[in-house]
Each structure stands twice: as structure tokens, then as C-alpha cells.
């Protein structure tokens, strides 16, 4: 690696030439240093829509652990009986922090849906068109991607079932997320 | 409230895809605001409230209220804050200023809303990411749920439960965009008819492109003063804050929304404001309403929640022309968000400025609410529709 390469790596490139003319002769424009900005940067952690899911990063890791094992769960409050979604560490109804995980149905009905046809967010730019909807599971209603379906083929009330996705990408643990698909 | 509070003028930038930075926009609107009000100079300002949603993401800048103070030469000696309440940030700033003056803490406040949203077309995914994380990023945003796809599901449910039609949605857009055609700062100044809306691309069905507001750069400012100060200024036109209500359900998410056809919080916020203002029948007592038409469906649900129409009857309300300039209540005479665009932090401030200008008769005839309007309302929703903010205004103090 040359010295110049090293400078570029540090983000500073020195222009050739070096010194301002000081001999009283024809005055050259002073050489300029430049700053180089990378054309692309790796997707920063904070622009990754998927949460880090291990016990070192989130206290609802049990939700993700269960999902990884194939079951869709959420928190329930033994004190007041509330079933939450998303899962919590404090019950919003009574502020108990003694919550346990309970199974949710893996099938439900489409309460509403649409199709994203415009530009999508970072990390999803190749996905449109895709269907997003609200799924009624009985105990809870939640928003979700509906895979393997097009807007024109769906109707309110259609049955949909859970689908577990593996998230490929820069995390040092295996990540998963839920979607639904017509059944 | 112990002290009456009045808007005594304001100004704004041109709205749209602007060749300008966040700081440029703040300066343009600040200059226009002070230009509009005789007798108030930057050194008179005691409180500064800046509505701004995502300068950290769109302009890579935080701590923006002191930045505005620097740009406009305002030394703030009483109270300064930035307000962030997503699409209602501008109204939140107005509400802070109103409360501070009403409580007797200060006499003169500048409220400025600023948003820079266009960051070149090639960066549209970045822009979409910013909008997508307004809901719960971990459990909603992750699904790619953005503005159009969120509100499309409200439209679908409203159509499903109440028989609201594509044509009725399109009537809202056509009305507002035709108003905007007469608004010199609006992002969209082209006349459109119902068929134009219906023929536009279904970007998030059942919503079409022309059912959606824009991605907008813009800023707007108003000056709020105590009644004593307004009298001292001998202001020709005033818009007194007569009521202000807010309501937020314990939710920021589409998960477990109890209803996707109603916004009970809009009803609660408006009833709170109406009670303060002594408004018994909003349909007869309000002359001009600036409501949050981020999407055409929003305005239809708002007719119902703000007390203009019965639940489920919002579609019929527009079909019968009752929200037109010459209807029962003139809704969105400047063109709303659908016509003017929606620079998030600036929208609520601009709505208040429009009501002030309607009181002053300071708008083109083609969109002047007839009959010398004396009472007005501004409404904003934010996030999933879980939060609603309503402020009532009147030309004369209570
Ligand atoms: Zn509980």
C-alpha cells in the first residue's frame, strides 16, 4: 500500500504539486486537499428494520426464540388477564412485570389489506408489489406481510396462515420473523 | 384560560420539491412571517416553538429550535422547544405557544414549522424508511407499512362497512386540488376532476395516486401574542385561539386498533375544543375548517368525527357538496394536504395561517370562503390515527 493509498483510506487525499509558488513569479492556484466520501456504506444497524433478537439485545427474546422453534406466542398478564401484542415486559393495563408467554393461533382471517406498489423502504426495495394486511387471530389483531398473494385475488375474511421467515443479513445470531399466506 | 391569545399574522415559503436546504426554508418562512406583522421584530420574541418531525433523517440535523433562533436573530428569553408529534408537530407547536401565553408566561411567541423531505429521487427508499418508522418500527414498519398502505386499509374498511365509494374518495381529492390550483404556494396547482383521480395509478389500492398528499419541502410561521399585545399592535386582523383539544389512545401502532373506520380520538379532541370555545353545533358554528386530508379517506372519516356528519355518512357528505366553499362548512379552502403537499412539521402552522388569512379576506376570490368567515378550526392526526389535535379559532376574543 502506498502512502497515497493510505491517505485515501483515511478519507483524505493530498493533491499533487504540493507547494504554493513563492518565487514572485506567476502565481499558481494553491493546490487543494480533498475529502473522499464513500459511494456506498454498509446498511447501518439502525436502518435494519428487524430487531436484534437475542437475550443480549432485547428482553422479549423469548418471543423470537419461540418463533424460531415454530410457535407464535405473545405475552399474557397473570395479574389482570390481558393478552398483549406486540409482546411486552410490562403489562400496559396493570404494570405487572410478571408476564408469561402464551400461544397464539397460527391461522386467522384478513381484516383488511392493500398492496404496496410504490417505492419501499431500505432493505425492501426489491419487494414491491407486496401485500400488507391486518390479520384477525381472535385474541389479537396484528399487521403483517401477506406472502404468495396479490391484491386482486384477496377478499376481506379470507383465511391466512402463519409463515416463518429466516432473516438473512448482518447479525451474529439467527433471526426470524412472521408473515402470513393464504391457506 | 386567564389570557386570550391571538395569531396576528404569518408567512411561508413556496411548497414543493424545493432547491433549498432545511435552513433555507426556515429562513424564508421566518422572514415572510416578520414581514407580515407590523410592530413585532425578532427582538420582541420571548418564546420560540419549532415544529419539525425528522430533521435528523432528512437534513441530518438535530437541536433545530436554537438553530432557527440563530438563523432569524431571535434571542429567546422565556421559552424555546422543538415539538415532534409526527404529522401534528406544527399544531403541537401552536398549542405550546398558546398555553405559554395563556398562562401569562410570555406575550409574544414565534411558531415555525419546517420540513425538508425531498432528498433526490434516487434516495426515495431512505425517504420511505423515514415514514415507515413513524409506527412501531419493530412490528409495523418491518412489514413495509407506510402512509399510503396504512390509510388504504382504512379506506377499504370504510368502503366495506359503510358503502363509501371510489367516486366519493375522488370527490374529496378533486375539491381540494381545485382549491390548491388557486393557492400560490401549493405543491400541486393543476385543476383535476373526479375522473382524473379515478384514472390515476392505484398506488395502494383502493387508494390512487391522487388520493394521496405529496412529499413536500416547505415551512410556515405565525406570530402568537397575548390579547394585550394584540391591542397594543392595533392588529387589523386577529385569529384568537378559542379552544384546543388533544386525545391519544394508548397506541402507536396498527396492531390491535379497535376500529379501522373511526377515530374516536378526533371526536374527543374536537369536543374538548368545542366546549372551550362554546361551540354547540360545529356545522353551523364553524365557517372554515382546515382538516388533515393526508389521504382522501382521512377527510371523510374526519367529517364524521368532527361532528359534521353522522358515522358512516362522510362519503355522502362530500357527495352532497356540503364541505364545498359554499356548503355547510368550507373544508380545506387552501387545498389541504392533498393540494398544498404535506411538509410534516409545517402543515399545522400553515392551516392556522390559512384560517387567519380567510378571516382577513387575504386569499384569492376563487377560494375565499363566502360570507365573511369569523370562526375556524384546524385538525391534525398523527401516526396510525391514534392521536388527534384540534384547535378552534375566532376573529374576535371570547
Ligand atoms: Zn396486567
Amino acid at each position: 500500500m502506498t502512502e497515497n493509498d493510505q491517505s485515501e483510506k483515511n478519507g483524505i487525499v493530498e493533491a499533487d504539486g504540493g507547494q504554493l509558488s513563492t518565487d514572485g513569479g506567476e502565481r499558481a492556484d494553491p493546490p487543494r486537499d480533498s475529502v473522499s466520501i464513500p459511494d456506498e456504506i454498509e446498511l447501518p444497524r439502525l436502518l435494519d428494520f428487524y430487531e436484534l433478537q437475542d437475550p443480549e439485545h432485547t428482553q422479549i427474546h423469548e418471543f423470537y426464540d419461540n418463533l424460531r422453534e415454530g410457535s407464535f406466542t405473545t405475552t399474557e398478564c397473570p395479574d389482570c388477564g390481558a393478552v398483549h401484542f406486540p409482546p411486552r415486559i410490562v403489562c400496559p393495563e396493570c404494570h405487572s412485570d410478571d408476564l408469561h408467554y402464551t400461544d397464539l393461533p397460527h391461522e386467522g382471517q384478513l381484516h383488511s389489506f392493500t398492496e404496496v406498489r410504490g417505492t419501499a423502504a431500505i432493505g425492501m426495495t426489491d419487494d414491491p408489489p407486496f401485500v400488507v394486511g391486518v390479520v384477525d387471530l381472535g385474541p389479537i389483531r396484528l399487521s403483517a406481510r401477506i406472502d404468495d398473494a396479490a391484491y386482486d385475488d384477496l377478499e376481506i375474511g379470507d383465511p391466512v396462515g402463519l409463515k416463518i421467515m429466516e432473516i438473512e443479513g448482518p447479525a451474529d445470531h439467527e433471526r426470524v420473523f412472521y408473515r402470513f399466506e393464504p391457506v | 384560560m386567564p389570557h386570550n391569545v391571538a395569531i396576528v399574522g404569518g408567512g411561508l415559503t413556496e411548497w414543493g420539491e424545493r432547491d433549498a436546504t432545511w435552513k433555507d426554508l426556515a429562513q424564508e418562512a421566518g422572514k415572510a412571517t416578520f414581514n407580515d406583522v407590523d410592530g413585532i421584530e425578532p427582538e420582541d420574541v420571548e418564546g420560540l416553538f419549532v415544529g419539525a418531525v425528522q430533521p435528523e433523517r432528512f437534513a441530518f440535523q438535530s437541536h433545530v429550535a436554537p438553530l432557527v433562533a440563530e438563523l432569524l436573530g431571535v434571542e429567546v428569553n422565556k421559552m424555546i422547544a422543538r415539538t415532534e408529534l409526527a404529522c401534528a408537530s406544527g399544531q403541537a407547536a401552536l398549542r405550546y405557544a398558546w398555553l405559554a401565553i395563556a398562562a401569562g408566561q410570555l406575550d409574544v411567541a414565534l411558531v415555525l414549522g419546517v420540513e425538508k423531505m425531498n432528498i433526490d429521487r434516487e434516495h426515495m427508499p431512505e425517504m420511505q424508511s423515514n415514514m415507515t418508522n413513524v409506527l412501531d418500527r419493530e412490528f409495523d414498519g418491518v412489514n413495509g407499512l407506510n402512509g399510503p398502505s396504512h390509510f388504504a386499509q382504512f379506506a377499504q374498511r370504510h368502503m366495506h362497512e359503510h358503502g363509501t365509494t371510489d367516486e366519493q374518495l375522488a370527490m374529496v381529492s378533486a375539491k381540494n386540488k381545485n382549491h390548491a390550483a388557486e393557492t400560490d404556494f401549493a405543491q400541486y396547482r393543476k385543476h383535476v376532476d373526479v375522473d382524473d383521480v379515478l384514472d390515476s395509478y392505484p398506488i395502494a389500492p383502493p387508494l390512487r395516486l391522487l388520493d394521496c398528499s405529496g412529499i413536500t419541502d416547505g415551512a410556515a410561521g405565525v406570530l402568537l401574542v397575548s390579547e394585550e399585545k394584540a391591542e397594543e399592535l392595533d392588529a387589523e386582523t386577529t385569529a384568537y385561539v378559542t379552544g384546543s383539544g388533544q386525545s391519544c389512545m394508548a397506541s402507536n401502532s396498527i396492531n390491535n386498533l379497535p376500529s379501522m373506520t373511526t377515530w374516536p380520538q378526533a371526536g374527543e379532541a374536537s369536543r374538548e375544543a368545542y366546549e372551550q370555545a362554546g361551540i354547540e353545533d360545529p356545522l353551523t358554528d364553524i365557517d372554515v375548517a382546515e382538516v388533515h386530508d393526508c389521504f382522501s379517506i382521512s377527510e371523510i372519516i374526519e367529517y364524521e368525527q368532527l361532528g359534521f356528519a353522522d358515522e358512516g355518512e362522510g362519503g355522502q357528505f362530500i357527495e352532497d357538496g356540503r364541505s364545498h366553499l359554499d356548503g355547510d362548512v368550507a373544508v380545506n379552502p387552501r387545498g389541504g394536504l392533498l393540494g398544498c403537499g404535506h411538509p410534516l412539521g409545517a402543515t399545522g402552522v400553515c392551516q392556522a395561517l390559512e384560517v387567519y388569512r380567510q378571516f382577513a379576506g387575504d386569499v384569492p376570490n376563487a377560494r375565499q370562503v363566502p360570507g365573511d368567515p369569523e370562526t375556524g378550526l384546524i385538525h391534525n392526526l398523527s401516526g396510525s390515527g391514534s392521536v388527534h389535535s384540534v384547535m378552534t379559532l375566532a376573529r374576535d376574543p371570547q
Side-chain angles (χ1 to χ4, degrees):
Chain A
M1 177 177 275
T2 67
E3 195 181 305
N4 200 44
D5 286 338
Q6 185 63 51
S7 300
E8 274 188 43
K9 193 173 173 234
N10 291 340
I12 298 169
V13 180
E14 288 178 24
D16 288 331
Q19 300 301 310
L20 198 63
S21 168
T22 53
D23 61 4
E26 196 175 323
R27 193 180 166 87
D29 282 342
R32 293 172 184 167
D33 290 349
S34 65
V35 175
S36 71
I37 306 297
D39 290 335
E40 291 186 351
I41 53 174
E42 281 180 30
L43 185 68
R45 163 64 59 231
L46 289 173
L47 293 184
D48 181 342
F49 277 81
Y50 296 96
E51 199 66 272
L52 294 175
Q53 301 174 351
D54 59 354
E56 287 165 26
H57 293 94
T58 176
Q59 294 183 56
I60 58 165
H61 61 89
E62 196 173 337
F63 167 78
Y64 291 109
D65 293 340
N66 292 339
L67 191 63
R68 208 172 289 115
E69 298 300 316
S71 58
F72 195 45
T73 59
T74 195
T75 50
E76 182 174 25
C77 176
D79 291 343
C80 76
V83 176
H84 324 113
F85 195 85
R88 314 288 183 188
I89 64 163
V90 170
C91 174
E93 304 296 327
C94 74
H95 288 195
S96 166
D97 58 2
D98 180 28
L99 309 182
H100 63 70
Y101 279 80
T102 183
D103 285 324
L104 287 170
H106 287 199
E107 287 193 16
Q109 293 174 338
L110 270 185
H111 181 73
S112 60
F113 59 93
T114 184
E115 194 164 68
V116 175
R117 295 173 176 172
T119 309
I122 291 171
M124 309 175 194
T125 49
D126 295 333
D127 295 0
F130 61 87
V131 175
V132 286
V134 170
V135 176
D136 192 342
L137 288 179
I140 60 144
R141 279 206 311 241
L142 78 169
S143 70
R145 284 273 286 265
I146 312 297
D147 272 4
D148 306 316
Y151 176 81
D152 292 328
D153 301 332
L154 295 169
E155 283 186 31
I156 287 175
D158 278 358
V160 289
L162 183 75
K163 174 183 176 185
I164 298 171
M165 306 287 295
E166 292 186 357
I167 312 305
E168 291 175 15
D172 57 10
H173 59 278
E174 188 190 322
R175 295 191 295 172
V176 290
F177 207 72
Y178 55 88
R179 291 184 183 181
F180 284 79
E181 59 189 351
V183 292
Chain B
M1 274 293 168
H3 299 269
N4 281 322
V5 181
I7 294 169
V8 290
L12 75 177
T13 69
E14 188 171 330
W15 285 18
E17 288 186 47
R18 292 290 315 277
D19 298 331
T21 65
W22 195 99
K23 290 191 286 187
D24 294 337
L25 298 169
Q27 290 171 80
E28 286 181 27
K31 177 182 168 68
T33 298
F34 284 107
N35 277 356
D36 188 59
V37 181
D38 289 334
I40 297 183
E41 303 301 329
E43 56 265 32
D44 300 319
V45 170
E46 299 165 313
L48 172 61
F49 303 88
V50 176
V53 179
Q54 291 195 334
E56 287 85 353
R57 294 295 303 277
F58 287 116
F60 201 23
Q61 179 68 58
S62 61
H63 207 219
V64 290
L67 185 58
V68 167
E70 174 184 325
L71 294 170
L72 299 178
V74 176
E75 281 186 29
V76 184
N77 54 18
K78 294 275 173 70
M79 190 170 172
I80 180 164
R82 163 195 173 186
T83 55
E84 191 279 297
L85 191 66
C87 306
S89 298
Q91 184 165 164
L94 289 167
R95 195 171 151 86
Y96 280 24
W98 163 67
L99 279 168
I101 297 171
Q105 294 296 309
L106 44 108
D107 285 302
V108 180
L110 170 64
V111 173
L112 202 74
V114 191
E115 211 75 43
K116 171 71 186 174
M117 299 178 73
N118 288 284
I119 45 177
D120 294 342
R121 289 291 164 106
E122 64 187 290
H123 299 301
M124 192 60 90
E126 166 77 9
M127 178 328 210
Q128 291 295 345
S129 292
N130 301 350
M131 297 308 289
T132 300
N133 68 19
V134 168
L135 301 182
D136 180 348
R137 191 260 305 146
E138 185 180 7
F139 289 99
D140 285 314
V142 70
N143 300 319
L145 197 64
N146 56 13
S149 55
H150 179 80
F151 286 88
Q153 296 183 69
F154 279 82
Q156 188 191 42
R157 288 300 308 189
H158 207 274
M159 295 165 108
H160 181 73
E161 293 182 30
H162 299 302
T164 303
T165 65
D166 290 308
E167 287 75 14
Q168 289 168 340
L169 294 175
M171 286 172 193
V172 171
S173 294
K175 166 178 73 71
N176 294 353
K177 285 175 183 291
N178 285 331
H179 291 163
E182 311 294 339
T183 299
D184 60 2
F185 63 86
Q187 183 167 16
Y188 307 106
R189 292 175 219 167
K190 229 177 85 185
H191 285 280
V192 304
D193 60 25
V194 167
D195 285 336
D196 293 328
V197 181
L198 293 174
D199 289 343
S200 65
Y201 180 64
I203 183 106
L207 293 182
R208 297 170 169 82
L209 199 56
L210 295 186
D211 286 305
C212 308
S213 58
I215 298 161
T216 313
D217 309 328
V222 291
L223 283 159
L224 273 78
V225 303
S226 61
E227 185 174 4
E228 295 72 25
K229 184 71 180 177
E231 282 169 1
E232 184 190 312
L233 291 170
D234 200 18
E236 202 169 308
T237 303
T238 47
Y240 279 89
V241 179
T242 53
S244 173
Q246 260 186 338
S247 180
C248 172
M249 73 172 77
S251 172
N252 178 49
S253 165
I254 199 169
N255 292 306
N256 281 315
L257 275 185
S259 165
M260 291 181 65
T261 56
T262 63
W263 288 318
Q265 282 63 34
E268 284 175 20
S270 60
R271 283 192 295 276
E272 171 76 20
Y274 296 162
E275 193 182 322
Q276 293 170 19
I279 290 170
E280 283 170 8
D281 179 3
L283 210 47
T284 54
D285 294 347
I286 293 168
D287 299 326
V288 48
E290 285 281 314
V291 310
H292 200 93
D293 58 329
C294 46
F295 299 90
S296 52
I297 181 61
S298 313
E299 184 167 316
I300 284 179
I301 298 176
E302 286 150 15
Y303 296 152
E304 302 169 10
Q305 297 300 320
L306 297 174
F308 301 158
D310 289 337
E311 199 161 305
E313 296 295 318
Q316 195 61 46
F317 193 77
I318 177 70
E319 190 171 333
D320 293 343
R322 298 179 68 188
S323 53
H324 285 218
L325 285 184
D326 58 356
D328 294 339
V329 53
V331 178
N332 287 330
R334 85 189 154 104
L337 287 60
L338 287 166
C340 293
H342 183 25
L344 312 173
T347 284
V349 183
C350 186
Q351 290 174 316
L353 179 60
E354 173 68 13
V355 171
Y356 172 87
R357 286 176 169 181
Q358 288 282 345
F359 289 173
D362 188 21
V363 299
N365 273 336
R367 64 180 185 86
Q368 172 71 51
V369 175
D372 226 4
E374 293 180 352
T375 55
L377 167 153
I378 68 170
H379 159 271
N380 299 104
L381 66 80
S382 40
S384 66
S386 53
V387 193
H388 290 263
S389 308
V390 174
M391 182 174 274
T392 51
L393 298 155
R395 205 161 54 179
D396 301 314
Q398 272 180 310

